[in-house]
Each structure stands twice: as structure tokens, then as C-alpha cells.
Amino acid sequence: MSGGDLEALALLHDPVRRSLYDVVASHGGEVGRGEAAEAAGVSRTLAGHHLDKLVEAGLLESGFRRPEKKGPGSGRPAKVYRRASSERSVSLPPRDYLTLASVLAEVVDGLGAEERAEAAARAAGARLAGKRRGEPVERVLRERGYEPYEEGGRLRLRNCPFHVLAREQPLLVCSMNLALCQGLLEGLGDDPARAELDPRPGECCVAFKQVKRFEQPDSPVRQDGAGAE
């Protein structure tokens, strides 16, 4: 942990800044000041002040979006914000699990033990389910930091909890992440085949096929409309 990490995360204690950060982070792309202000229920000026503070702390990144209209009278480029790609963490006393995880990933890769690593990840996923059999996977994924959301009939994951390792060992980490998610589904009593690799820039490499849920009637109904006896 660095002092900068602690100071940056301390900024989120302010409810307005936390609300604005959540708006930008959950959007999954660029958000303008006006859009963020409206979603957080504050003025555009106040939103701009707090958003810029979050940029200074490294929690958000900023840029400019060119107006759609070209030529004279099109206006100035609008300032937009997106979640920073860097990570912040706080641990007291300081710990460094990431370095050890990176070393272990290199060992697995060097030994060619990918299949055993995937099997271990699937078992770990089943353990994560614990005694939560029957619960929706979305709830568990949200608690694990995956930030699930629905799009196009699929359940996608906005955040990869293993982002740094995935950049170093993408094939190994993504295959283990898939196995972990499949094990989680299995532990919840769901179909493991719902989880599949479907990488997209800036998001987790795993996505889930959605299952339509139909409510069952309390009692059978005959074709003539009368309740079953």
C-alpha cells in the first residue's frame, strides 16, 4: 500500500464523489459531466469539480469527445470521464499477493500444467458457491467484483478481478477464470456450460448465456379456464 493509494481511496468517503465514481464506473465507457451530474443528482458545476478531483487522484481518466456536428457553430469538444485502468488497493500492514500469484502463474506455464490449474480453478469455483446453491449467479459474481450486467441476451462482466495477471499470462488466466466460473455455476446447481470465453476490450473474458425463467402457475388451469380439481 502506498500513501497515494490511501489518499485516493479516502476521496470516495465523500458521498457525492462516491456517487459520481459509481456512475462513471458502472457506465463502462465515457461519461460527460452533464450525464454524470444528472445521474448523481447534483449540479453540473459541482459534478465537474468532484470528477476532476477523482482524475487528479488517479481513480478516473478524462478526455474530450468531439461534437457530432462539424464546422462553424459545432461547439467545443465535451470533457468526458472513464474509470482509470490502474488499480488501487489498501492493506494494513502492506501485503503483496500479486507478486506471488504472478510467480505461480509462471511456474504453471513453465511446467505445462494448464489442465491441472483449470481443474483446481473449477474446484475453487465450486467452493466459492459454498452453501448458496440455488442462488442466482449474478449475485455471487457481483460480490466477487465481476460487475455483471445484461446486454444482448447475455450476462457480461464489466470488471476482471484478475486484470493484472491476465495481461501477463492471458491464455492461462482466462482459461482458469472460465473454469472458476464454470465451477461456480456447478456449485450453485446451474449449468456450467452457460459460462464461455467471449473476450471484449476492457472487460472480463468470460460471459454467460442467459436462461429464460418462466413463472409457474400456482395451480394447473384447464383449457376451459376452470381450475383443476
Side-chain angles (χ1 to χ4, degrees), residues 61-79:
E61 296 174 352
S62 64
F64 291 91
R65 179 192 296 153
R66 293 186 176 276
E68 295 182 3
K69 183 180 178 181
K70 306 294 182 181
S74 60
R76 295 181 302 173
K79 193 169 187 178

Side-chain angles (χ1 to χ4, degrees), residues 71-143:
S74 60
R76 295 181 302 173
K79 193 169 187 178
V80 292
Y81 301 84
R82 58 186 173 273
R83 179 162 57 180
S85 57
S86 59
E87 297 182 3
R88 300 283 187 172
S89 63
V90 175
S91 175
L92 296 173
R95 306 295 188 192
D96 188 10
Y97 302 112
L98 182 58
T99 297
L100 180 58
S102 179
V103 171
L104 291 174
E106 290 182 7
V107 171
V108 171
D109 184 57
L111 294 175
E114 290 84 356
E115 291 187 5
R116 295 183 64 179
E118 290 172 15
R122 185 157 182 156
R127 288 195 299 272
L128 288 177
K131 299 180 179 180
R132 308 181 66 170
R133 192 173 184 85
E135 291 190 27
V137 68
E138 296 91 327
R139 184 183 304 167
V140 183
L141 289 169
R142 188 171 294 108
E143 293 173 1

Side-chain angles (χ1 to χ4, degrees), residues 127-177:
R127 288 195 299 272
L128 288 177
K131 299 180 179 180
R132 308 181 66 170
R133 192 173 184 85
E135 291 190 27
V137 68
E138 296 91 327
R139 184 183 304 167
V140 183
L141 289 169
R142 188 171 294 108
E143 293 173 1
R144 304 300 304 181
Y146 282 94
E147 299 182 8
Y149 69 99
E150 294 185 22
E151 181 184 274
R154 296 172 69 79
L155 183 69
R156 307 199 70 96
L157 309 174
R158 201 179 304 281
N159 181 53
C160 173
F162 318 112
H163 174 66
V164 175
L165 283 177
R167 287 189 301 180
E168 296 179 2
Q169 298 277 358
L171 295 178
L172 173 62
V173 175
C174 288
S175 64
M176 289 183 65
N177 189 20

